[in-house]
Amino acid sequence: MNVLNLVSNEDARFFEQQQKVLERRGVDCATMKPPGDHVAREDVTERSAGDYLRFVPQVVSESLEGYDVVHANYGLTAPAALAQVRLPVVLSLWGTDLMGEYGWLSKQCARYCDAVIVMSEEMARELGEPCHVIPHGIDMDRFAPRPKSEARPEVGWDPDARHVLFPYPPSQEVKNHPRARRVVERASEEVEADVELQVVYGVPHAEVATYMNAADALLLTSEREGSPNSVKEALSCNLPVVSTDVGDVADRLDGVSPACVSDDDDELVAGLVDVLDDPRPSDGRDAVRDISLGRMAERIECIYESVV
């Protein structure tokens, strides 16, 4: 199977993992991205509409080079994928491309694709078209529980404080960093130990698990999500999660303890205080065993085979 991948940000770690596990299964993956820069460090896209228009003839030309499938990863790449008419098109929607400003474009393109993949049941409902729900898989070998006493010296955190991990750039408005800071400030007033909000982003993916194992809780205050990898990776590390009710988070945390899902700030504060007052691991690892990288790759390969 020869697959041409179109992607807006080829450095997205879940996309890199997706390609690697598919290649291990014998799928040949090539990648194209639009002209211009995607600055992943601050999650700022510098591309213009003109960059995406210039991308179209590039994709049409490359599609003649012996591929079996074009896989558009992220909604803004879908028009270029559909511009070539010879090959079947698989579209993966990642979250903000469906739930955000350009959701209308993703929905229109999805109608003409041979298969569509979304990350959560919420996204499937928003799309309103037949689709496959396949969350991004996680590397459970890398994201495994470790003692805090080992992880904290590696990241340089105070061993006696309580640490709340916020793994996104503050510039990403949809992640709502100001709300995370407010929740942590209120929670710190009810906890005897020092509480620190740790904003961590732009570090190598191999190091993210160390930060998760050094933390007492992961805090997600996003306004919308698909199937946030940070939550699944935290669960795999048995790191307690306190989150707004977005994407598939409520489903992922169903039955997991300790955990908190709410859109009410008072409840988010209470959930965080519960974890910080009595730091303890969650039992989340068992809840994510069904979304390993291998299982994700198997399902995507089956979709490729179904459209060829």
Side-chain angles (χ1 to χ4, degrees):
M1 183 77 67
N2 240 344
V3 178
L4 175 61
N5 283 281
L6 312 183
V7 66
S8 58
N9 176 18
E10 64 181 346
D11 296 324
R13 62 179 183 248
F14 47 80
F15 175 73
E16 292 176 341
Q17 290 176 324
Q18 174 181 297
Q19 285 216 110
K20 287 178 181 177
V21 293
L22 284 168
E23 286 171 347
R24 285 201 294 266
R25 293 182 62 86
V27 177
D28 291 326
C29 297
T31 301
M32 293 183 69
K33 62 178 182 179
D37 294 322
H38 177 95
V39 186
R41 179 174 52 85
E42 293 290 344
D43 196 51
V44 175
T45 301
E46 295 184 347
R47 294 191 182 99
S48 65
D51 290 326
Y52 281 97
L53 286 173
R54 287 193 294 276
F55 191 42
V56 171
Q58 296 173 10
V59 171
V60 171
S61 176
E62 181 64 22
S63 70
L64 302 174
E65 300 300 318
Y67 297 100
D68 300 300
V69 177
V70 177
H71 189 168
N73 295 271
Y74 202 77
L76 291 178
T77 67
L82 291 167
Q84 62 76 37
V85 295
R86 297 176 57 256
L87 301 176
V89 174
V90 175
L91 170 62
S92 282
L93 298 173
W94 289 358
T96 55
D97 49 352
L98 176 62
M99 317 294 275
E101 180 181 1
Y102 296 102
W104 63 270
L105 177 62
S106 296
K107 290 178 181 179
Q108 286 296 317
C109 290
R111 297 170 59 188
Y112 299 100
C113 294
D114 297 274
V116 180
I117 299 170
V118 296
M119 305 299 116
S120 68
E121 294 293 345
E122 181 190 32
M123 289 182 66
R125 290 191 294 271
E126 177 67 24
L127 181 63
E129 300 282 345
C131 58
H132 304 268
V133 178
I134 306 178
H136 290 303
I138 54 173
D139 185 343
M140 295 191 69
D141 293 330
R142 173 174 291 169
F143 288 88
R146 288 178 57 201
K148 288 179 192 174
S149 59
E150 291 180 6
R152 285 191 177 173
E154 293 181 27
V155 298
W157 290 356
D158 182 348
D160 299 318
R162 304 288 191 264
H163 298 278
V164 180
L165 179 63
F166 183 85
Y168 303 105
S171 61
Q172 254 186 303
E173 292 184 6
V174 71
K175 305 300 184 182
N176 205 337
H177 173 260
R179 186 179 189 183
R181 186 162 294 281
R182 290 196 303 271
V183 169
V184 170
E185 288 174 354
R186 287 183 54 191
S188 67
E189 296 172 358
E190 302 182 38
V191 178
E192 291 186 4
D194 291 335
V195 178
E196 298 183 14
L197 176 62
Q198 302 289 357
V199 180
V200 177
Y201 62 94
V203 302
H205 191 226
E207 298 177 13
V208 175
T210 303
Y211 285 94
M212 289 190 167
N213 280 301
D216 294 291
L218 178 118
L219 178 60
L220 186 89
T221 49
S222 296
E223 296 170 4
R224 57 182 179 270
E225 291 280 355
S227 179
N229 267 27
S230 60
V231 168
K232 293 177 288 188
E233 290 167 348
L235 288 170
S236 190
C237 292
N238 283 338
L239 174 65
V241 175
V242 175
S243 175
T244 48
D245 189 1
V246 290
D248 66 352
V249 174
D251 290 336
R252 290 291 162 204
L253 296 183
D254 185 29
V256 174
S257 179
C260 174
V261 181
S262 177
D263 286 326
D264 180 79
D265 275 13
D266 291 342
E267 293 183 6
L268 292 174
V269 170
L272 196 55
V273 169
D274 172 56
V275 173
L276 300 181
D277 246 351
D278 179 21
R280 59 202 187 277
S282 78
D283 55 2
R285 190 168 172 83
D286 287 340
V288 290
R289 292 193 185 278
D290 64 324
I291 51 172
S292 67
L293 288 174
R295 178 61 179 143
M296 176 196 69
E298 178 185 351
R299 296 180 67 190
I300 292 175
E301 186 178 8
C302 286
I303 291 173
Y304 290 161
E305 292 172 349
S306 73
V307 300
V308 172

